[in-house]
Amino acid sequence: MPSPTSADEEDGLETCVLKTFDLDLKESNIVTPSNSLKAELDGSTKKKYSFAKKKAFALFVKTKQVPAPSYEVKERRWRCCQQLFAEQTSIHRHVATQHAEDVYQRTASILKQLTAALRTSQSLTPTDQRSSPKDCLPPSQDVSAWLPDVSHVSPQELRSGQGDEEGEVLLYYCYCDLEDPDWVCAWQAALCRHLHLTGKIRIATEGINGTVGGSKVATRLYMEAMLSCPLFKDYLSEDDFKSSKGGSHCFPELRVGVFEEIVPMGISPSEVSYKNPGIHLSPGEFHKEIEKLLSQANQEQGDTLLLDCRNFYESKIGRFQGCLAPDIRKFSYFPSYVDKNLDIFRQKRVLMYCTGGIRCERGSAYLRAKGVCKEVFQLKGGIHKYLEEFPDGFFKGKLFVFDERFALAYNSAVVSECSYCGAPWDQYKLCSTPQCRQLVLTCSACQGQGFTACCVMCQDKGGKQASDPTQDSFKEECECTARRPRIPQEQRA
């Protein structure tokens, strides 16, 4: 995103803020600064006043913008005080003369944020140039000050990708200490609504984990906002975002919340921290390790174990060759699985992988804490990044994703089969019986014969409910879950 020039462009803090907001005001001098406000500022902050004033003015004007009728050529109009303004100079003049106090209040709020962040920036020693995220947290609860400017983007550009191939889905995570996750939650909700994004975002004191969908313009702006935010700019890079074709239609809604963990392993981050993970391997390094493993005459007798950290329904439709894929339904079962099967990890070099890398961060930390492995490695960026480099590599089948697409295809291999007839099949559907959230693999032929439930029990319940609509709903329990051990015991030589 282009940013305006500034006399203080070398200042790291201001450069960061300027990257987030593109303020192109032709009449920036129409707001008269308050002498009392200027008098309250120290010398180092006075030079920020012009920038803060422009930013406050632009944000206020932006709140008054309305889309023009489709038959009009102009794309931007503004409505304020029951008046419609078609020219930018007109709305600027109106705001300057009628809303000076509103702009003044916003300017004061922005200056407080700049002052607090500037003190943090100046307090850094030469040996500690990496600032703590909690010190950069804006003291103001006004999240609107941290939203990107979209005045240069048409509403159509932001909203496209809601049902076509122009959209995109971003997957990312960032482990870093956050002092105020509630503020981050409010900012993320406002940011996604501002950009018309849907998806799921988990925030905790240990960081953030998100997957969002929308137009490519919107996802680019979202990524830029994340990369320039002082909370994450030292921890996130563009390479940490995994993208795939999709859009806002891939998610039914936007869900943003604060949790204890950004990935639900079921163990407090204070007990098992992300700060003690396994050794990260690039996709190329991981590829060479698997190549070496598969070349061994007897893999089970070797010292390397390839471990899939995902759930059984994920590994069922796609997995690395020669892997151990635990038959567990939730990642929160993973610690118990490790505890129950410690012997298979003893004196092994463990190569771990998951969808995007986040489960391996905590999972590898838990495995390392057990002290039985020779070494623990993890695939950096997960299967997503590996398939970008090696679409026809050692990962065969589809990559399961937690949205309405269910899976992404990078190669033509089909490693799973229809649950009813055994024919090759890898397209998941939800069980047809209401209240059951199990996924089912049933081919087109079997679907045509009415086999659309995950098991016989659900098939029978679905039929009974269809004939008796007043029947009470049943619990999420069926043969699929009843016959599967919650924590399987592996039988390994």
Side-chain angles (χ1 to χ4, degrees):
M1 182 188 302
S3 57
T5 56
S6 167
D8 304 303
E9 196 165 354
E10 296 303 318
D11 185 303
L13 167 68
E14 183 159 347
T15 302
C16 167
V17 177
L18 289 176
K19 285 180 181 177
T20 309
F21 300 93
D22 181 10
L23 308 181
D24 182 17
L25 299 182
K26 296 179 180 178
E27 293 188 272
S28 58
N29 61 338
I30 57 181
V31 179
T32 304
S34 166
N35 291 330
S36 61
L37 178 59
K38 273 191 171 181
E40 294 174 5
L41 305 177
D42 57 34
S44 64
T45 311
K46 280 184 179 180
K47 61 183 180 180
K48 309 288 183 186
Y49 183 87
S50 177
F51 164 69
K53 179 187 67 175
K54 291 179 181 179
K55 178 176 172 181
F57 190 89
L59 287 172
F60 185 88
V61 170
K62 185 172 63 175
T63 63
K64 304 301 179 183
Q65 185 175 333
V66 296
S70 58
Y71 56 84
E72 292 282 353
V73 176
K74 297 184 183 224
E75 295 181 342
R76 288 193 292 169
R77 289 177 178 236
W78 300 263
R79 186 178 296 279
C80 188
C81 299
Q82 299 182 340
Q83 300 179 59
L84 185 65
F85 301 88
E87 299 293 334
Q88 190 176 47
T89 54
S90 301
I91 183 64
H92 282 185
R93 195 170 289 111
H94 172 81
V95 171
T97 57
Q98 303 298 320
H99 298 282
E101 182 63 24
D102 295 318
V103 175
Y104 166 83
Q105 295 296 335
R106 281 179 177 260
T107 302
S109 175
I110 293 170
L111 280 168
K112 287 179 183 178
Q113 296 175 22
L114 289 173
T115 302
L118 181 61
R119 290 196 187 106
T120 299
S121 176
Q122 291 176 337
S123 67
L124 293 176
T125 63
T127 59
D128 185 18
Q129 291 298 316
R130 179 166 169 157
S131 59
S132 171
K134 65 181 181 181
D135 296 329
C136 297
L137 187 65
S140 170
Q141 293 300 308
D142 182 14
V143 296
S144 64
W146 296 84
L147 302 181
D149 175 38
V150 296
S151 61
H152 62 291
V153 181
S154 70
Q156 291 77 16
E157 288 179 291
L158 281 181
R159 292 180 181 272
S160 66
Q162 295 185 350
D164 51 39
E165 295 185 356
E166 295 180 7
E168 186 176 45
V169 170
L170 290 181
L171 174 68
Y172 74 95
Y173 69 89
C174 178
Y175 276 107
C176 63
D177 295 335
L178 296 179
E179 188 176 75
D180 191 351
D182 291 310
W183 185 91
V184 178
C185 181
W187 172 57
Q188 282 291 308
L191 176 61
C192 290
R193 286 195 294 266
H194 186 62
L195 298 174
H196 302 287
L197 298 172
T198 58
K200 295 173 285 188
I201 300 173
R202 294 175 64 98
I203 300 144
T205 55
E206 64 174 355
I208 185 171
N209 172 22
T211 175
V212 295
S215 71
K216 286 188 177 180
V217 172
T219 54
R220 292 301 100 183
L221 287 170
Y222 179 86
M223 189 166 67
E224 288 176 13
M226 290 295 295
L227 293 174
S228 59
C229 176
L231 294 171
F232 305 111
K233 69 185 183 72
D234 288 332
Y235 298 85
L236 268 177
S237 69
E238 188 170 346
D239 193 53
D240 291 320
F241 291 85
K242 302 95 182 175
S243 64
S244 56
K245 288 183 179 180
S248 59
H249 62 281
C250 294
F251 305 90
E253 59 186 350
L254 172 67
R255 294 166 57 191
V256 184
V258 176
F259 301 84
E260 185 180 16
E261 307 171 272
I262 60 173
V263 62
M265 192 171 76
I267 296 180
S268 172
S270 61
E271 297 180 37
V272 177
S273 172
Y274 71 89
K275 298 178 182 179
N276 301 301
I279 301 170
H280 291 72
L281 296 180
S282 68
E285 293 169 329
F286 200 80
H287 184 82
K288 290 180 180 178
E289 286 287 346
I290 299 179
E291 190 173 38
K292 188 188 307 180
L293 173 64
L294 295 178
S295 67
Q296 296 176 0
N298 190 334
Q299 295 177 26
E300 292 186 356
Q301 296 300 321
D303 69 342
T304 302
L305 177 67
L306 181 58
L307 177 64
D308 193 322
C309 288
R310 301 173 302 157
N311 306 320
F312 77 89
Y313 53 86
E314 298 175 76
S315 58
K316 191 172 186 177
I317 63 171
R319 55 191 176 271
F320 278 104
Q321 295 172 259
C323 76
L324 169 63
D327 192 18
I328 55 176
R329 193 163 67 91
K330 298 179 180 179
F331 182 59
S332 57
Y333 297 171
F334 181 78
S336 297
Y337 173 84
V338 170
D339 294 345
K340 193 172 182 177
N341 296 278
L342 267 183
D343 283 342
I344 67 173
F345 300 109
R346 201 172 302 278
Q347 293 302 305
K348 294 282 188 179
R349 297 174 68 253
V350 180
L351 304 172
M352 302 176 65
Y353 69 89
C354 60
T355 305
I358 185 170
R359 281 178 278 188
C360 285
E361 299 283 3
R362 294 283 308 285
S364 64
Y366 186 83
L367 189 54
R368 290 187 71 234
K370 294 299 172 179
V372 299
C373 303
K374 280 185 180 179
E375 291 175 299
V376 180
F377 302 90
Q378 63 190 78
L379 174 57
K380 185 178 181 181
I383 304 167
H384 250 292
K385 286 296 182 182
Y386 177 86
L387 287 174
E388 287 180 10
E389 290 191 35
F390 304 99
D392 296 311
F394 296 117
F395 185 89
K396 301 301 181 183
K398 288 185 175 179
L399 172 60
F400 185 93
V401 290
F402 291 89
D403 57 55
E404 296 189 356
R405 297 172 298 174
F406 287 133
L408 303 176
Y410 290 82
N411 55 68
S412 58
V414 178
V415 300
S416 53
E417 58 188 30
C418 173
S419 300
Y420 287 94
C421 70
W425 193 257
D426 60 6
Q427 297 179 32
Y428 271 126
K429 286 185 178 294
L430 282 173
C431 176
S432 59
T433 304
Q435 287 81 48
C436 181
R437 303 301 297 171
Q438 297 291 327
L439 292 168
V440 57
L441 289 170
T442 174
C443 68
S444 300
C446 290
Q447 290 179 44
Q449 297 178 45
F451 298 120
T452 54
C454 62
C455 63
V456 174
M457 185 181 294
C458 271
Q459 194 82 29
D460 291 342
K461 286 182 178 180
K464 291 177 181 178
Q465 285 194 336
S467 60
D468 183 11
T470 62
Q471 184 181 5
D472 293 335
S473 62
F474 57 92
K475 294 181 180 179
E476 185 184 336
E477 184 68 35
C478 62
E479 287 181 1
C480 297
T481 54
R483 68 182 178 220
R484 177 181 295 109
R486 183 176 182 273
I487 310 297
Q489 176 78 53
E490 301 291 351
Q491 301 296 324
R492 303 276 291 187

